[in-house]
């Protein structure tokens, strides 16, 4: 139990710092930076808990993104900042970048070294994982405006 | 309404906005709305946000409706007041991602809705947008720190952490320099990925840390096109399928460009014999 807690804290801290860097890159305004870090840290921690109880990674990403999307609604109303400003930077640590690059470099190796079943298997597995995690993340973010606030603007 | 003294705004104030809008007034309002939409699109706002913001601005200025058609390269909008329609097109000049400007345009829209600003003031604020940018070196430091954090999340030790930081810091500075020179985004991503992997390959060759490969993999993660990807899917979910496809393709091309850079660097390192 204590170990899990330690892993979670470690996870949340590093995900938060990672999101902070990307928030700066996207020029997120100062008053939204702290919120961005906190949202990112908690969303990533939620996903880690779900992964720990053996939820598949795409569902874990979907649930974490849904919670993140719902949690940003009251915040965004209060400070009058559109939600994508924080949600995208907060979700960046969960984006399957490594899988995406493995897919692309795998494709190129496939061309370079010639066809082999193992290589193709890697490309297909990594590619599917990338696509499903991405769809999970962005559908999760879209849940709040699509299901709860149908055609009304949130801010 | 606040009376303006300049000649330009005379046409805006000849009649109060609520009871009726002359053609010239409607044209001026349309130009302001188109400018707001163009800004939002150029700085990578979601299509739904562009649609809502332009519509709300139109209603706030007393128009009947604002219809908008978005393509990946242009924005076409028609404002309607009674039997009067005005249509205008603006091409989009991509400016990269800047959420500060998106926030500012949104805030201006809300000021217009609460009738704090009139058309002329809104136009002035949109023309002189002053959004502070974060210092480039600080941004590079923290983006590099992000990549270093990724390497930690994937199980790297402290040596990997430091090496990743240095590699991605250099790559990020090169990326900022190339962006400043207005290079094509694909070229920027290709060169950045190449430098990051090339520098990282030396650390991997020396066998530093517990998983030397991680330096090469994670220092490239700063190039993951997260914004286009998330925008693509959320656009498609909300019905803007074509523009979502265009964004998805952009993201794929950017990933492909960075992957090409990675592969070239790895092959060079293998030819050189140190990997």
């Amino acid at each position: 139990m204590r170990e899990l807690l330690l892993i979670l804290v470690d996870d949340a801290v590093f995900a938060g710092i990672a999101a902070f860097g990307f928030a700066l890159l996207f020029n997120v305004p100062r008053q939204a930076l702290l919120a961005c870090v906190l949202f990112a840290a908690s969303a990533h921690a939620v996903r880690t808990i779900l992964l720990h109880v053996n939820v598949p990674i795409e569902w874990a990403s979907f649930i974490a993104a849904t919670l993140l999307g719902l949690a940003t609604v009251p915040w965004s109303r209060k400070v009058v900042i559109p939600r994508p400003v924080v949600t995208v930077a907060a979700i960046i640590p969960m984006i399957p970048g490594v899988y995406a690059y493995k897919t692309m470099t795998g494709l190129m190796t496939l061309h370079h070294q010639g066809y082999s079943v193992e290589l193709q298997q890697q490309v297909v597995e990594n590619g599917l994982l990338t696509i499903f995690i991405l769809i999970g993340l962005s559908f999760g973010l879209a849940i709040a405006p699509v299901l709860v606030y149908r055609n009304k603007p949130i801010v | 309404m606040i009376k303006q003294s300049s000649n330009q705004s005379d046409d805006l104030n000849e009649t109060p906005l609520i009871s009726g809008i002359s053609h010239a007034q409607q044209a001026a309002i349309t130009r302001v709305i188109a400018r707001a939409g163009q800004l939002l699109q150029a700085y990578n706002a979601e299509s739904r946000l562009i649609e809502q913001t332009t519509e709300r601005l139109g209603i706030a200025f007393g128009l009947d409706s604002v219809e908008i058609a978005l393509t990946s390269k242009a924005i076409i909008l028609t404002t309607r007041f009674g039997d009067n329609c005005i249509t205008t097109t603006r091409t989009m000049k991509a400016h990269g991602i800047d959420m500060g400007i998106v926030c500012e345009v949104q805030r201006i829209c809300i000021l217009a809705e609460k009738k704090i600003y009139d058309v002329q003031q809104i136009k002035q604020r949109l023309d002189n947008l002053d959004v502070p940018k974060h210092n480039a070196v600080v941004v590079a430091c923290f983006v590099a720190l992000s990549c270093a954090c990724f390497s930690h999340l994937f199980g790297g030790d402290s040596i990997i952490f430091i090496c990743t930081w240095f590699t991605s810091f250099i790559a990020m500075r090169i990326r900022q320099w190339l962006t400043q020179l207005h290079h094509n985004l694909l070229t920027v991503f290709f060169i950045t990925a190449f430098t990051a992997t090339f520098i990282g390959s030396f650390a991997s060759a020396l066998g530093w840390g517990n998983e030397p490969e991680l330096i090469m993999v994670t220092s490239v993660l700063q190039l993951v096109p997260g914004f286009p990807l998330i925008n693509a899917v959320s656009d498609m979910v909300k019905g803007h399928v074509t523009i979502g496809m265009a964004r998805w393709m952009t993201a794929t091309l950017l990933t492909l460009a960075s992957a090409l850079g990675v592969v070239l660097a790895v092959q060079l390192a293998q030819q050189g014999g140190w990997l």
Side-chain angles (χ1 to χ4, degrees), chain A residues 24 46 87 137 144 148:
Chain A
L24 286 185
V46 167
T87 48
L137 285 175
V148 186

Side-chain angles (χ1 to χ4, degrees), chain A residues 10 18 26-28 80 138 155, chain B residues 56 98-100 110 146 152 233:
Chain A
D10 179 87
F26 300 151
N27 204 22
V28 171
V80 195
S138 31
V155 176
Chain B
R56 284 164 72 184
D98 191 329
M99 285 302 110
I110 286 163
S146 298
H152 177 86
V233 179

Side-chain angles (χ1 to χ4, degrees), chain B residues 38 130 145 170 180 207 253 268:
Chain B
Q38 192 187 20
D130 181 29
L145 194 61
I170 298 168
Q180 216 175 28
L253 278 179
L268 262 183

Side-chain angles (χ1 to χ4, degrees), chain B residues 164-240:
Chain B
T164 310
W165 189 90
F166 268 109
T167 314
S168 28
F169 180 75
I170 298 168
M172 187 65 207
R173 289 300 290 162
I174 290 175
R175 179 181 173 185
Q176 286 172 334
W177 174 62
L178 290 171
T179 314
Q180 216 175 28
L181 295 176
H182 297 289
H183 273 289
N184 185 310
L185 210 53
L186 293 173
T187 329
V188 176
F189 273 53
F190 173 75
I191 297 176
T192 315
F194 175 78
T195 357
T197 316
F198 195 70
I199 301 170
S201 73
F202 288 104
S204 301
L206 293 171
W208 288 345
N210 54 353
E211 261 182 273
E213 281 252 307
L214 262 183
I215 302 173
M216 282 159 58
V217 178
T218 50
S219 55
V220 190
L221 282 190
Q222 54 167 297
L223 296 172
V224 172
F227 236 97
L229 281 174
I230 298 284
N231 272 346
V233 179
S234 52
D235 276 357
M236 285 195 251
V237 170
K238 291 165 195 169
H240 298 270

Side-chain angles (χ1 to χ4, degrees), chain A residues 105-127:
Chain A
T105 45
L107 270 180
M108 271 172 235
T109 332
L110 206 58
H111 161 73
H112 192 68
Q113 292 179 352
Y115 180 84
S116 75
V117 178
E118 297 92 72
L119 213 54
Q120 192 205 21
Q121 186 190 353
Q122 271 179 23
V123 169
V124 173
E125 278 175 1
N126 283 322

Side-chain angles (χ1 to χ4, degrees), chain B:
Chain B
M1 293 284 311
I2 299 162
K3 278 278 170 196
Q4 297 281 320
S5 54
S6 69
N7 290 332
Q8 236 188 352
S9 60
D10 280 351
D11 54 344
L12 293 175
N13 291 304
E14 55 195 19
T15 43
L17 277 181
I18 315 302
S19 58
I21 299 172
S22 71
H23 186 79
Q25 277 175 327
Q26 194 185 345
I29 293 171
T30 309
R31 279 196 296 274
V32 171
I33 297 174
R35 176 84 185 124
Q38 192 187 20
L39 276 172
L40 283 177
Q41 201 186 22
Y43 290 99
N44 273 316
E46 209 188 327
S47 301
R48 167 65 74 87
L49 192 70
I50 306 176
E51 216 177 41
Q52 279 176 351
T53 309
T54 45
E55 207 176 304
R56 284 164 72 184
L57 269 175
I59 305 289
F61 291 144
L63 298 174
D64 286 346
S65 73
V66 177
E67 324 282 336
I68 188 165
L70 287 168
T71 71
S72 59
K73 208 52 194 141
I75 171 170
I76 304 154
L77 63 85
T78 300
T79 58
R80 198 168 58 76
F81 181 75
D83 291 336
N84 239 342
C85 287
I86 297 180
T87 302
T88 180
T89 307
R90 295 284 183 277
T91 50
M92 196 264 286
K93 292 168 191 73
H95 279 283
I97 299 155
D98 191 329
M99 285 302 110
I101 291 187
V102 173
C103 285
E104 189 63 20
V105 173
Q106 181 78 14
R107 203 162 293 151
I108 291 172
C109 164
I110 286 163
L111 286 174
E113 255 180 357
K114 292 187 175 154
K115 313 278 179 209
I116 297 172
Y117 279 7
D118 62 11
V119 184
Q120 198 58 33
Q121 281 167 309
I122 299 274
K123 182 179 181 311
Q124 258 169 17
R125 279 204 62 170
L126 285 176
D127 285 343
N128 313 311
L129 272 185
D130 181 29
V131 177
K133 279 243 179 217
H134 301 293
N135 180 292
V137 181
V138 176
V139 171
C141 281
F142 279 102
V143 171
L145 194 61
S146 298
C147 293
C149 285
F150 285 135
S151 79
H152 177 86
L153 288 175
F154 287 110
D157 58 10
S158 48
I159 301 172
I160 301 270
F161 190 89
I162 295 164
C163 288
T164 310
W165 189 90
F166 268 109
T167 314
S168 28
F169 180 75
I170 298 168
M172 187 65 207
R173 289 300 290 162
I174 290 175
R175 179 181 173 185
Q176 286 172 334
W177 174 62
L178 290 171
T179 314
Q180 216 175 28
L181 295 176
H182 297 289
H183 273 289
N184 185 310
L185 210 53
L186 293 173
T187 329
V188 176
F189 273 53
F190 173 75
I191 297 176
T192 315
F194 175 78
T195 357
T197 316
F198 195 70
I199 301 170
S201 73
F202 288 104
S204 301
L206 293 171
W208 288 345
N210 54 353
E211 261 182 273
E213 281 252 307
L214 262 183
I215 302 173
M216 282 159 58
V217 178
T218 50
S219 55
V220 190
L221 282 190
Q222 54 167 297
L223 296 172
V224 172
F227 236 97
L229 281 174
I230 298 284
N231 272 346
V233 179
S234 52
D235 276 357
M236 285 195 251
V237 170
K238 291 165 195 169
H240 298 270
V241 179
T242 44
I243 196 161
M245 294 288 230
R247 286 195 212 263
W248 185 274
M249 204 57 222
T250 316
T252 312
L253 278 179
L254 289 175
T255 318
L256 192 68
S258 351
L260 266 177
V262 171
V263 168
L264 184 67
V266 169
Q267 281 177 356
L268 262 183
Q270 278 168 348
Q271 291 286 320
W274 65 84
L275 198 73

